[in-house]
Amino acid sequence: MSHQPLLAFDSPQSIPVLQVSSGTERCLAVANQILVYRLHRVRRRTIGLQVNERGLTIRAPRSVALKEIESAIVENQRWIFAKQIEWHAWGERVRKSAIRFAEGGVVRYLGKLMTLRLGSSVADADHDANEIRLALPIAAPEADVRQALQAWLQAQARSIIGERLARFGDRVPEPFAGWRLSSARTQWGSCSHNGRVRLNWRLVHFAPAVIDYVIAHELAHLRELNHGARFWDEVARLLPGFEAARDQIKRVEIAAIAF
């Protein structure tokens, strides 16, 4: 979610530095607010601004004066504050979707909300009761529950995605050279030039129709390594009526998923 600033605005004549803390962290008065930022002196020609979950980071050439760096901050204050608001909203979404890794916690599995149940003799899913049962003691530590749940979900993903992929049968275009699970935090799937497809194990959180869409999306890249009109025609050939599933997963951020 970090981007370079797109807009610049007029800066005031004075840019007061309020304090300097240890290391590269500094504070600046901007628009009646105290803006904390981290300054890194690096080998580059321009001043770079980045906003992410940790705040504002500035990377600037060693030869650029501090006054020029702070002028750049003020000039881009609207962009900075807008990005900070975006990241705050993202953090709230992550917090609200966080899984409680304990008895009674809730996790989404194949599009349904499932309750975690500990104390089972075997790990499995009871779809009638909407429960995922793990072979752990009721009072198991959160770290153990998290590890066991993730391992179980990844195993299910390998089986389910493989089964869904097989349903495409002779529709799979050449050159398909096989597939494997991915743990990427930036994309749901990928397709290489040599015909190998990777599919994110976190797809197991979604309904089968969404999983099918991501599979079709990556298989379509075997013929069209772009997102042009012919690519979407190929997706439609592989999976007619894919649009609803596409729109559903477009609204989900991988980074907001608990693990």
Side-chain angles (χ1 to χ4, degrees):
M1 289 181 61
S2 61
H3 305 277
Q4 293 300 312
L6 302 178
L7 301 173
F9 304 90
D10 293 337
S11 59
Q13 293 182 350
S14 60
I15 309 168
V17 177
L18 295 187
Q19 68 180 56
V20 178
S21 59
S22 61
T24 59
E25 189 172 274
R26 304 180 65 88
C27 295
L28 180 69
V30 179
N32 297 319
Q33 298 187 49
I34 304 302
L35 182 62
V36 179
Y37 69 95
R38 287 175 302 281
L39 174 61
H40 297 282
R41 294 290 190 170
V42 295
R43 295 182 62 183
R44 57 177 295 158
R45 296 183 178 180
T46 59
I47 299 172
L49 292 79
Q50 182 186 53
V51 178
N52 57 27
E53 74 277 13
R54 296 183 301 163
L56 172 62
T57 298
I58 309 294
R59 291 178 173 83
R62 295 180 176 88
S63 60
V64 173
L66 181 61
K67 183 176 181 180
E68 185 176 346
I69 293 170
E70 294 182 338
S71 292
I73 294 174
V74 176
E75 289 169 3
N76 290 280
Q77 60 181 280
R78 295 185 190 175
W79 177 86
I80 293 168
F81 291 141
K83 288 300 172 185
Q84 287 181 332
I85 291 171
E86 286 182 18
W87 276 103
H88 176 75
W90 175 84
E92 285 297 301
R93 291 196 297 273
V94 171
R95 183 184 61 78
K96 290 178 180 179
S97 64
I99 299 171
R100 184 167 61 89
F101 296 100
E103 170 72 18
V106 177
V107 61
R108 191 171 293 277
Y109 175 63
L110 294 180
K112 298 171 62 178
L113 292 177
M114 308 283 277
T115 301
L116 295 179
R117 295 299 181 202
L118 308 184
S120 175
S121 60
V122 62
D124 63 6
D126 185 333
H127 292 276
D128 292 331
N130 292 334
E131 293 179 350
I132 293 176
R133 297 167 180 168
L134 299 177
L136 290 172
I138 293 292
E142 181 176 320
D144 291 353
V145 177
R146 180 188 181 103
Q147 183 178 13
L149 177 60
Q150 181 168 333
W152 184 84
L153 287 173
Q154 288 177 335
Q156 298 307 303
R158 186 173 290 105
S159 174
I160 292 167
I161 292 175
E163 177 187 335
R164 306 304 301 181
L165 184 57
R167 295 186 180 209
F168 284 83
D170 58 8
R171 287 175 290 166
V172 177
E174 296 292 340
F176 179 56
W179 74 282
R180 61 182 295 184
L181 285 182
S182 161
S183 296
R185 275 295 192 178
T186 57
Q187 54 189 1
W188 294 111
S190 63
C191 178
S192 67
H193 288 278
N194 61 8
R196 294 200 64 84
V197 168
R198 301 189 71 186
L199 297 161
N200 200 305
W201 71 264
R202 297 175 182 88
L203 288 169
V204 78
H205 292 298
F206 295 89
V210 176
I211 299 174
D212 288 348
Y213 161 68
V214 177
I215 292 173
H217 185 113
E218 299 311 325
L219 292 178
H221 279 312
L222 293 169
R223 288 185 173 174
E224 298 290 334
L225 285 172
N226 56 66
H227 290 101
R230 290 194 300 181
F231 166 80
W232 292 110
D233 288 344
E234 178 66 5
V235 176
R237 183 188 74 82
L238 292 166
L239 188 67
F242 67 87
E243 291 84 359
R246 177 192 61 188
D247 293 345
Q248 180 180 342
I249 200 167
K250 279 174 62 176
R251 297 193 296 267
V252 179
E253 297 172 281
I254 302 178
I257 295 178
F259 47 35

